């Protein structure tokens, strides 16, 4: 970590008797308890048995690929189901063949043919066919199914129309089984990145007989997804699911590549308290934590052979501004707000997880898209914009509120930003309001806020997954912002099949977004987590979708230093 | 005969109260903004409408209420909206035993600490022993569970390695959870025991016993203890109900799959049927406990039954 | 009647008490029903006589004050508590106390008694160190104390008033009214608190008075059950019959004779309510009700500190010490008050 800002000399904690004795106690008790650490921990046993123990954030809403939407849920589904194309273990720009052995597109990338391997099997031994995929696409797009993430399949021709009940016949949707092992997808418009899209959870197949044994195709709460009932086609199959306790998946003997599946199974633990998760890791109960508390990052960084991993992640943290009402309806005022936030300070001292200050909305990624470099802290510029917005000083700005969903991390960031606006612009009337999660979502949806905290994780590696939401009336826009030029540029980019031209158009659109600033970009996410040294072949991935079958477990000597943890 | 009538009338009253609770909860849950189908990434309006139809939320509220009561009578609490694929019956059946075990263990720990501390403090009234014991139990009240729970995990889990710090299956973390709950309730029980022991000790039969030269320890345990413990026994009912329903923090900190998490998560997920289900279970628990307490009280102290 | 006479003799032994009136006021508080979780005992021996009603409150107060003064621990607690209140409410007005909400992100987690210069060139002195945003912990504790003390007391008073009146009426009237009133309490006990809080905040916004309403609404329930149990036991006793035969109104009997006799358990429960309220306030701020950032309360500071105790123990230790010490002082003060108000239990 380059340290560009002056760091005050920190005085030794010796000057503080309370803290000193507390640390003394901790160190003493650590020495005392070393023998206890030597006994074989749960992680040691699991490594020997090749069972991966993963913290997984929270309890999944469901284990049905057509219902879920959260990252944690899809982690589990990626272990039990396999799509046409899957994630590469080392690089998200590369594609790993899944059920499809190979695929080809027509000249303008609007028609894709997937050739399925003939040895792909369901966990009951049935072959996986192109018909299974067509059935699954029908299921998720079916209006009665009301799959929350159905819009991921709007890439298919007529997918949106079918989902919105404008056409009733699924045969009109662009997904055909040419034969048992050839699937043809016709798209609404060219998509050179289509193989990236079909990696997503929503494109996973389900077993028709399995679904219909427990109810109709579109029933979303049947017993089919329970352990023992669920038939899946991935490297693993579901064997245990206890709410708020654990989910276990074990080797699927019928998986086509079973010989190359390294772990014997995975246990997912829905620990939604990140402090608990970190303690469980230090206690040798899990191999991997879903997150790491921000205040422990420095301690972990200081360790030798640290289990801490910090990796670039395909996400953007920002504030939405309500452009339909004062004071945030004034673009100059929004510019003043954006340029007065010192993003460097926020990532360095508040979030502390190696995040990058967001000079644009879309994070730069390896696929070649380079977002315009616009937003940088500039107090003079910010004050000039405030004047231009019609405020002689910050004191004249009417009261406005930042809303957030309750979380320590969001709170710290908001408090820091509130203080920066006060120091740089002299705005004293900024309030912060915590809201309960659903209340917060409803408030944002109804655009009944001034400034609202937000985050966005890209579903696949392409700038459209970030820029598409700012189109007029997009259901994720929620700022009231609308710009005809922006909408036009996005429409035009969709018709281009040459990546370079496409990216140029998108960058042009993003420049408009960054000039008008309905959003204040703050930082680009990183994944910050702890990984046990026994876990091998776990590589940094931009989308963080690790294909579990490649992950190996081998005992390592470093275990003791991990146990000593964050002291 | 009078007792039987009292019991029957109390039973009917409780049944009516239960109906009120179910009704109020049903409608209250619908008043909260942001329904069960809202998600972080916006779900298109037409899909939300369809989900409502799928779950029958498109019907007028009174009709939904009638249908719910109809199912409830048959013991069907409906599907969970936050744990799709599970019924509320299944969710509660999984969570209740965990909470019950936590609650009972916590209560036993609370008694094991609270009663002796209370008795000794009473016997040594207004001495340093009394003050320090009472101060010790006050710690359980002063330090909130969200401080004690991680602290216990840090010390007994990580430093000493005696217990696991999290998880349920093959894990000893639940014991730390029970201790956390126990410490909190032990403070109440200690104060309760001390107070009632003081009262008993000031009574004549104790004085008589003392005057006759019975050993102080024997006086304390043979004569005074039984009387002094009565209100503690009566306190166990409501305490157990509170322990079973109120262990959210402990369950979160130690990653335990109990009912307490469902109380909170059902509300934050707007999981309407799970909200109703958990509240119904909790209400039955409270009504049964209060009923038992009142009956017990009537039996112990006939005067309180003398209603006009 | 044998029991009664012995008891009276004992009381007479206390005639050497400096205030001769203390024996004439038969001020009983220890009657109990096991119904109430925090009553003092459950014996039958309080069929003891109640020859006269309590006298005027002023003499009661003076008398109790006298007895309280003899209890050094309670007096020390009282002075400590008064000092905490004065410091929290008036010290922030003094010059030199830093703004509790000014951040110095580069000066985070500074130790106690440290001086530093922030990257903006501001010179800062941290008496008790700084938090994760470089805010002054000492100053935040002072301002947080204002909120916590105010919430603790106002909410407790709300719950005390409702609980005592409701419980006393229910217990005194008895019969069907009592049954109905107690079932209402049962119903309120069981209602989902989370949902109610969410609804209230949504419709009324984050108002501080709402915090008092929410907390008061929860805490009075147990109090009412305790008082009702007491009153049910008391009303069968002779002094109530005597009052009634004198033609006193029900309300008068409840107010002058029954409520004062429940004071012991009520005080005990109150001393337990204050911490419960402060804790509830911390939990409510988690739900978005209560103090909003950047402001703090002790509960919120302890919550923040608990999350960071492994890396920065000071954040937890200092607020926890002041919070704990305040509660301890309240507790000992409560015990002292109970003893002072109840001659029988003052000295054996």
């Amino acid at each position: 970590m380059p340290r560009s800002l002056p760091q005050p000399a920190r005085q030794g904690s010796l000057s503080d008797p309370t803290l000193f004795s507390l640390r003394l106690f901790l160190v003493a008790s650590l020495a005392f308890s070393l023998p206890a650490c030597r006994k074989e921990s749960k992680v040691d046993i699991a490594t020997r048995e090749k069972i991966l123990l993963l913290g997984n954030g929270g309890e999944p809403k469901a284990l049905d690929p057509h219902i879920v939407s959260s990252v944690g849920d899809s982690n589990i589904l990626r272990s039990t189901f396999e799509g046409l194309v899957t994630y590469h273990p080392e690089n998200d720009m590369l594609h790993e063949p899944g059920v499809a052995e190979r695929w080809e597109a027509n000249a303008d990338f609007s028609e894709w043919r997937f050739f399925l391997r003939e040895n792909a099997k369901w966990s009951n031994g049935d072959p996986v066919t192109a018909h299974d995929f067509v059935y699954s696409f029908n299921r998720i797009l079916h209006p009665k199914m009301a799959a929350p993430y159905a819009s991921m399949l709007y890439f298919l021709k007529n997918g949106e129309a079918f989902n919105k009940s404008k056409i009733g016949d699924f045969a009109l949707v662009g997904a055909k089984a040419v034969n048992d092992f050839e699937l043809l997808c016709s798209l609404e418009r060219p998509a050179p990145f289509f193989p990236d899209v079909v990696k997503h959870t929503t494109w996973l197949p389900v077993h028709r007989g399995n679904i219909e044994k427990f109810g109709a195709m579109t029933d979303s709460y049947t017993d089919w997804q329970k352990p023992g009932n669920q038939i899946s086609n991935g490297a693993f199959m579901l064997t245990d699911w206890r709410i708020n306790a654990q989910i276990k998946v074990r080797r699927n003997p019928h998986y086509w590549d079973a010989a190359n599946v390294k772990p014997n199974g995975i246990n997912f633990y829905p620990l939604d308290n990140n402090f608990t998760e970190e303690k469980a890791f230090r206690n040798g109960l899990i191999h991997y934590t879903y997150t790491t508390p921000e205040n422990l990052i420095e301690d972990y960084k200081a360790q030798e052979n640290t289990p801490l991993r910090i990796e670039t992640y395909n996400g953007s943290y920002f504030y939405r501004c309500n452009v339909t009402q004062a004071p945030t309806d004034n673009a100059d005022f929004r510019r003043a707000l954006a340029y007065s936030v010192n993003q460097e300070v926020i990532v360095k001292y508040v979030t502390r997880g190696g995040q990058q200050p967001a000079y644009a909305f879309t994070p730069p990624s390896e696929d070649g898209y380079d977002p315009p470099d616009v937003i940088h802290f500039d107090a003079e510029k910010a004050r000039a914009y405030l004047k231009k917005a019609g405020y002689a000083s910050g004191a004249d700005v009417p009261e406005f509120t930042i809303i957030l969903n309750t979380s320590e991390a969001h709170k710290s960031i908001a408090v820091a930003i509130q203080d920066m606006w006060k120091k740089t612009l002299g705005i004293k009337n900024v309030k912060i309001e915590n809201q309960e999660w659903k209340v917060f979502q409803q408030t944002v949806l109804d655009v009944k806020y001034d400034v609202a905290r937000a985050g966005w994780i890209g579903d696949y590696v392409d700038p459209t997954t970030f820029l598409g939401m700012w189109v007029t009336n997009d259901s994720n826009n929620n700022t009231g912002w609308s710009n005809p030029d922006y909408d036009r540029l996005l429409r035009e980019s969709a018709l281009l099949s040459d990546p370079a031209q496409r990216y140029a158009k998108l960058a042009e659109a993003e420049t408009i977004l960054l000039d008008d600033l309905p959003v204040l970009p703050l930082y680009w996410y990183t994944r910050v987590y702890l990984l046990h040294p026994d876990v091998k072949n776990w590589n940094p991935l931009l989308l963080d979708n690790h294909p579990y079958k490649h992950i190996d477990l081998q005992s390592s000597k470093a275990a003791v230093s991990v146990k000593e943890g964050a002291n | 005969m009078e007792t039987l009538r009292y019991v029957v009338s109390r039973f009917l009253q409780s049944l009516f109260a239960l109906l009120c609770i179910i009704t109020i909860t049903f409608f209250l849950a619908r008043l909260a903004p942001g329904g069960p189908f809202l998600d972080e990434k916006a779900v298109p309006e037409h899909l939300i409408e369809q989900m409502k139809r799928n779950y029958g939320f498109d019907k007028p509220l009174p009709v939904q209420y009638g249908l719910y009561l109809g199912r409830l009578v048959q013991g069907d609490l409906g599907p969970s909206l936050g744990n799709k694929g599970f019924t509320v019956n299944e969710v509660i059946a999984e969570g209740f035993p965990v909470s019950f075990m936590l609650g009972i263990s916590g209560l036993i720990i609370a008694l094991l600490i609270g009663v002796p501390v209370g008795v000794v403090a009473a016997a040594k009234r207004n001495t340093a022993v009394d003050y320090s014991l009472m101060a010790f139990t006050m710690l359980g009240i002063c330090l909130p569970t969200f401080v004690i729970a991680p602290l216990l995990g840090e010390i007994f889990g990580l430093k000493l390695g005696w217990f696991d710090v999290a998880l349920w299956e093959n894990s000893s973390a639940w014991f730390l959870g029970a201790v956390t709950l126990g410490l909190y309730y032990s403070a109440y029980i200690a104060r309760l025991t001390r107070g009632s022991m003081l009262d008993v000790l000031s009574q004549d039969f104790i004085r008589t016993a003392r005057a006759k030269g019975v050993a102080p320890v024997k006086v304390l345990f043979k004569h005074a203890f039984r009387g002094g413990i009565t209100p503690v026994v009566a306190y166990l009912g409501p305490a157990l109900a509170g322990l079973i329903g109120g262990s959210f923090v402990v369950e979160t900190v130690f990653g335990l799959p109990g009912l307490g998490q469902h109380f909170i998560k059902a509300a934050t997920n707007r999981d309407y049927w799970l909200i109703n289900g958990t509240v119904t279970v909790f209400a039955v628990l409270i009504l049964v406990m209060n009923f038992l307490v009142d009956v017990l009280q009537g039996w112990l102290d006939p005067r309180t039954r003398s209603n006009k | 009647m044998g029991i009664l006479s012995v008891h009276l003799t004992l009381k007479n032994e206390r005639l050497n008490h400096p205030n001769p009136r203390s024996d004439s006021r038969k001020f009983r508080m220890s009657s109990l029903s096991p119904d109430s979780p925090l009553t003092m005992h459950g014996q039958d021996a309080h069929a003891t006589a109640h020859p006269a009603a309590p006298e005027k409150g002023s003499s009661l107060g003076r008398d109790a004050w006298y007895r309280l003064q003899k209890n050094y621990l309670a007096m020390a607690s009282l002075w400590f508590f008064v000092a905490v209140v004065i410091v929290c409410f008036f010290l922030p007005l003094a010059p030199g106390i830093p703004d509790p909400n000014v951040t110095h992100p580069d000066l985070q987690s500074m130790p106690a008694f440290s001086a530093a210069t922030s990257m903006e060139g501001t010179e800062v002195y941290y008496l008790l160190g700084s938090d994760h945003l470089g805010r002054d912990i000492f100053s935040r504790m002072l301002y947080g104390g204002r909120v916590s003390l105010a919430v603790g007391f106002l909410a407790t008073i709300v719950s005390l008033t409702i609980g005592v009146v409701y419980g006393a009426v229910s217990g005194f009237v008895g019969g069907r009214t009592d049954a109905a009133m107690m079932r209402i309490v049962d119903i309120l006990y069981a209602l989902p608190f989370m949902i109610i809080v969410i609804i209230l905040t949504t419709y009324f916004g984050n108002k501080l008075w709402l915090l008092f309403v929410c907390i008061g609404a929860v805490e009075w329930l147990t109090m009412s059950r305790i008082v009702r149990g007491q009153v049910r036991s008391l009303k069968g006793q002779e002094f109530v019959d005597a009052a009634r035969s004198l033609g006193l109104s029900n309300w008068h009997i409840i107010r002058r004779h029954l409520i004062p006799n429940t004071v012991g358990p009520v005080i005990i429960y109150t001393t337990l309510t204050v911490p419960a309220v402060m804790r509830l306030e911390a939990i409510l701020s988690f739900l978005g009700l209560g103090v909003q950032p950047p402001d703090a309360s002790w509960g919120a500071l302890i919550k923040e500190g608990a999350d960071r105790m492994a890396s920065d123990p000071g954040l937890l230790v200092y607020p926890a010490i002041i919070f704990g010490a305040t509660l301890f002082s309240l507790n000992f003060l409560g015990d002292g008050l109970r003893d002072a108000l109840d001659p029988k239990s003052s000295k054996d």
Side-chain angles (χ1 to χ4, degrees), chain A residues 414-450:
Chain A
V415 168
I417 288 178
Q418 179 194 38
D419 204 44
M420 286 173 183
W421 285 341
K422 192 171 173 184
K423 282 178 185 157
T424 313
L425 301 174
I427 303 177
K428 293 199 179 67
N429 287 329
V430 185
K431 294 248 175 329
I432 299 174
E433 190 180 316
N434 273 332
Q435 291 187 344
E436 186 266 344
W437 182 220
K438 290 272 181 179
V439 176
F440 174 80
Q441 288 174 319
Q442 188 71 57
T443 315
V444 171
L445 203 61
D446 298 343
V447 199
K448 284 183 181 156
Y449 60 88
D450 302 318

Side-chain angles (χ1 to χ4, degrees), chain A residues 229-429:
Chain A
N229 297 347
Q230 192 172 63
I231 295 174
S232 61
N233 73 329
F236 304 93
M237 52 196 220
L238 185 66
T239 56
D240 181 28
W241 181 2
R242 180 150 186 175
I243 297 173
N244 289 341
Q246 76 265 337
I247 286 166
K248 293 183 184 171
V249 300
R250 291 293 177 265
R251 227 167 226 290
N252 173 3
H254 291 284
Y255 180 59
W256 64 270
D257 198 18
N260 293 318
V261 174
K262 300 244 173 65
N264 287 325
I266 310 169
N267 294 358
F268 295 92
Y269 295 106
L271 296 168
D272 46 16
N273 181 314
N274 55 352
F275 296 96
T276 302
E277 209 185 19
E278 187 271 338
K279 279 214 266 300
F281 181 84
R282 247 193 299 157
N283 199 206
L285 299 175
I286 50 176
H287 281 117
Y288 161 90
T289 64
Y290 191 69
T291 54
T292 307
E294 116 282 336
N295 61 312
L296 297 175
I297 293 176
E298 292 300 324
D299 287 328
Y300 270 109
K301 271 187 194 161
Q303 279 180 42
E304 238 179 288
N305 296 327
T306 180
L308 182 75
R309 298 284 189 105
I310 295 184
E311 289 155 14
T312 314
Y313 190 36
N314 196 32
S316 190
Y317 190 100
F318 58 98
Y319 279 1
R320 280 190 170 91
C321 294
N322 182 352
V323 304
T324 63
Q325 65 182 40
T328 44
D329 58 346
N330 183 326
D332 284 321
F333 181 66
R334 297 196 298 268
R335 287 174 195 133
L337 293 183
Y339 289 108
S340 55
V341 172
N342 192 338
Q343 300 164 319
E344 297 270 348
V345 167
I346 289 179
V347 299
K348 184 161 185 209
Y349 297 110
V350 184
T351 62
R352 286 186 271 183
Q355 292 85 351
Q356 290 304 306
Y359 54 77
F361 182 69
T362 311
S365 67
E366 300 149 46
D367 70 337
Y369 177 72
D370 199 10
D373 183 355
V374 180
I375 310 291
H376 291 280
F377 171 62
D378 184 338
E380 285 313 311
K381 202 166 164 184
R383 281 192 280 266
Y385 274 124
L386 189 71
K387 284 244 158 50
K388 219 173 144 198
Y391 300 108
S393 78
D396 302 337
V397 176
E399 182 179 304
F400 68 98
T401 306
I402 307 172
I403 60 164
L404 6 133
N405 55 304
T406 312
S407 129
E408 273 301 312
H410 300 328
K411 193 167 95 179
S412 297
I413 294 168
V415 168
I417 288 178
Q418 179 194 38
D419 204 44
M420 286 173 183
W421 285 341
K422 192 171 173 184
K423 282 178 185 157
T424 313
L425 301 174
I427 303 177
K428 293 199 179 67
N429 287 329

